[in-house]
């Protein structure tokens, strides 16, 4: 009797999932553990991509800093999108927060129409700092300030890997990590 009831129960569940006659079973979303990514562009860990030029998968962080390395603006985006798109976004954020900035230094990916666009829209003088040789280490002027800030941010365990679900929460975690670093510095005096 129990075996027959189990079979009827299984049959009843299968028929409950079918749509109109002749369609077959409907697919239901299954919930799995929240700590694991579902797929490349799935909803679990947000949009991710791959930048073949930099050989980066996941997300890219774009930051604007002052001459001392203090964080001014942050943009986190999929690694598959171009750097110029993110540069436009952080230039807009920079202009909304700090309207007295006149000179902006950028890396080689921020070239093209971006320089004229920033000059026309915000009045920024954008200077691109490029590498001379690809396989030779050399400290580049003004670029090392941003690299040093990235190194400071990587001291935070939460930023060592990309744990965040959304890019906005990743940007918020960068701000929190920088604020934590500034608080540690102020208490060390």
């Amino acid at each position: 009797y129990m075996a027959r009831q189990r079979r009827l129960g299984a049959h009843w569940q299968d028929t409950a999932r079918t749509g109109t006659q002749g369609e077959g079973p409907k697919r239901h979303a299954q919930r799995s553990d929240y700590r694991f990514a579902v797929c490349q562009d799935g909803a679990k860990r947000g949009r991710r991509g791959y930048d073949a030029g930099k050989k980066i998968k996941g997300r890219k962080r774009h930051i604007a800093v002052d001459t001392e390395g203090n964080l001014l603006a942050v943009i986190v985006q999929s690694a598959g999108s171009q750097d110029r798109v993110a540069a436009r976004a952080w230039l807009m954020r920079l202009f909304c927060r700090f309207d007295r900035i006149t000179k902006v230094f950028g890396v080689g990916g921020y070239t093209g129409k971006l320089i004229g666009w920033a000059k026309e829209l915000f009045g920024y003088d954008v200077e691109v700092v490029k590498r001379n040789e690809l396989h030779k280490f050399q400290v580049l002027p003004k670029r090392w300030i941003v690299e040093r800030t990235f190194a400071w941010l990587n001291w935070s365990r939460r930023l060592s890997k990309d744990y965040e679900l959304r890019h906005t929460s990743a940007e918020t975690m960068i701000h929190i990590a920088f604020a934590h670093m500034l608080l540690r510095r102020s208490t060390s005096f």
Side-chain angles (χ1 to χ4, degrees), residues 89-115:
W90 69 251
L91 282 173
M92 283 190 260
R93 283 193 188 176
L94 200 60
F95 182 75
C96 290
R97 293 181 184 154
F98 308 99
D99 57 347
R100 294 186 180 187
I101 294 176
T102 57
K103 182 96 169 167
V104 176
F105 293 96
V107 294
Y110 301 147
T111 57
K113 297 178 183 176
L114 177 72
I115 297 171

Side-chain angles (χ1 to χ4, degrees), residues 61 63-64 67 69-70 73 78 92 113 137 149 153 169 189:
R61 300 170 182 160
I63 60 172
T67 54
N70 295 321
S78 167
M92 283 190 260
K113 297 178 183 176
F137 176 77
T149 305
L153 289 172
S169 60
F189 292 117

